[in-house]
Amino acid sequence: MTFSIVGYDPIEKEWGIAVQSKFLGVGAVVPFAKAGVGAVATQSYANTTYGPRALELFAEGKTAEEALAILIGDDSDQHLRQVGLIDAQGNPATFTGEGCYSWAGGVMGPNFAAQGNILVDESTVQAMADVFTTKEGSLAERLLAALAAGQEAGGDSRGQQSAALLVVKDKGGYAGFNDRYIDLRVDDHPEPIKELIRIYHLQQLYFAPTKEENVAVVEGAVEEELTANLTRLGYLREGVELLGALKTYIHTENFENREQAQGKIDLEILEYMKKQG
C-alpha cells in the first residue's frame, strides 16, 4: 500500500527518502537515514527494525546488497516485506517479497532504488526511476518530482493518504546541530504529495540561504510594495518606521535566517508577504 524512492546525491553528500501511502502517518514508519551512512525505506507489513539495523550494517562497511541479504535472511516473514536501500557510496538494493500484494516490485539504478506494493501497475516505479535519473535540481527536488510522477502514473491502487520526505546531510539540521536536513510529513490529506511539495517550498523559504540575486535595497518600487504590504498586514502604522516594521515582521514570521543588513530585504520575503491574507 506504499511506494517510495531512496536516493543519494554524491556531490552534496545527501541521502534521502520520499514516500506516499494509503496509510496514516507513513513518515513515522517507512523512512530511516543517517548522514554518511545511508538511507532505508521499509514497507509492506513493514519491519521497522530494518531501518536501524541496515544503518548499523552500513556503518560497519556493508554494502546495500550485503545489508539486504542479512536483513531478509534473519526475517521469517521476509515474503511479506518490501525494502529499498542506499548505502554510504550510493549503491542501491531493493527487495519485494513474494507475498506482497500485487502489483508489487522495484527498480534501481545509479544512486537510487524505487519500490511499491498494491500499485495500479509497474508504471509507478518506472516513472519514479525515469524522473529521478533525468531531472535536475537538489536531491529533495528530484525525490519529490519522482514521487509526483509515480502518483501520476497510477500510484497506490487504493488511493492517497499520507506522504513524507526525509533528507539527511552532515550538520544539515537546524543550526547545524544534527543531520536532519529536511524532515517533512503529511500524515492525513486528500492529496498528500501536493501538500508535501507545498510545505517543502515553505521549508526552503524558512531555512534555505538567501540567493545573492534576491537581495534588494529598500527603495523605489521595492519600498512602495513593502510599505503597502506591511500596512495591509498591520505592521506599519503611525509612529512606526518602515525598517522597524520590517524587522518586527521578519521576527514574527521566523524569517531570521533571511534577515539582511539594514536597508535591504530578501525579495522572497516580500513575495511571501504579498500572498498573505
Side-chain angles (χ1 to χ4, degrees), residues 42-50 68 71-72 75-83 95-100 104 117:
T42 176
Q43 56 204 47
S44 179
Y45 292 97
N47 183 338
T48 56
T49 67
Y50 277 20
L68 175 60
L71 292 175
I72 62 176
D75 188 352
S76 60
D77 288 323
Q78 62 168 269
H79 63 289
L80 298 174
R81 314 299 188 200
Q82 189 172 58
V83 60
F95 170 79
T96 299
E98 60 185 13
C100 293
N117 60 90

Side-chain angles (χ1 to χ4, degrees), residues 10-203:
I11 304 301
E12 296 297 328
K13 302 298 182 186
E14 297 172 4
W15 291 257
I17 309 103
V19 56
Q20 195 280 148
S21 183
K22 181 66 172 69
F23 185 86
L24 180 69
V26 69
V29 177
V30 171
F32 295 82
K34 185 176 181 180
V37 176
V40 183
T42 176
Q43 56 204 47
S44 179
Y45 292 97
N47 183 338
T48 56
T49 67
Y50 277 20
R53 180 63 177 135
L55 295 178
E56 289 175 359
L57 292 168
F58 291 158
E60 293 170 5
K62 297 290 192 296
T63 67
E65 289 286 357
E66 290 170 338
L68 175 60
I70 293 171
L71 292 175
I72 62 176
D74 292 340
D75 188 352
S76 60
D77 288 323
Q78 62 168 269
H79 63 289
L80 298 174
R81 314 299 188 200
Q82 189 172 58
V83 60
L85 307 95
I86 290 286
D87 64 28
Q89 286 72 45
N91 300 306
T94 187
F95 170 79
T96 299
E98 60 185 13
C100 293
Y101 297 139
S102 186
W103 188 89
V107 61
M108 60 184 181
N111 300 319
F112 83 91
Q115 48 280 316
N117 60 90
I118 319 185
L119 303 180
V120 172
D121 56 33
E122 67 270 22
S123 298
T124 291
V125 292
Q126 191 58 56
M128 287 195 290
D130 292 344
V131 169
F132 184 82
T133 55
T134 58
K135 181 177 175 59
E136 296 183 355
S138 68
L139 177 61
E141 290 164 347
R142 294 166 66 202
L143 291 172
L144 287 172
L147 200 66
Q151 179 60 40
E152 183 67 23
D156 189 324
S157 62
R158 302 187 311 155
Q160 305 181 65
Q161 187 170 5
S162 65
L165 173 68
L166 175 63
V167 178
V168 296
K169 183 176 186 176
D170 186 42
K171 297 183 180 179
Y174 183 75
F177 291 128
N178 60 36
D179 69 350
R180 203 163 59 247
Y181 185 44
I182 301 171
D183 187 1
L184 302 173
R185 287 171 43 175
V186 176
D187 286 344
D188 185 35
H189 194 279
E191 295 185 299
I193 297 174
K194 289 183 179 179
E195 179 65 4
L196 184 63
I197 292 171
R198 184 189 73 82
I199 63 174
Y200 165 73
H201 289 308
L202 275 180
Q203 190 271 349

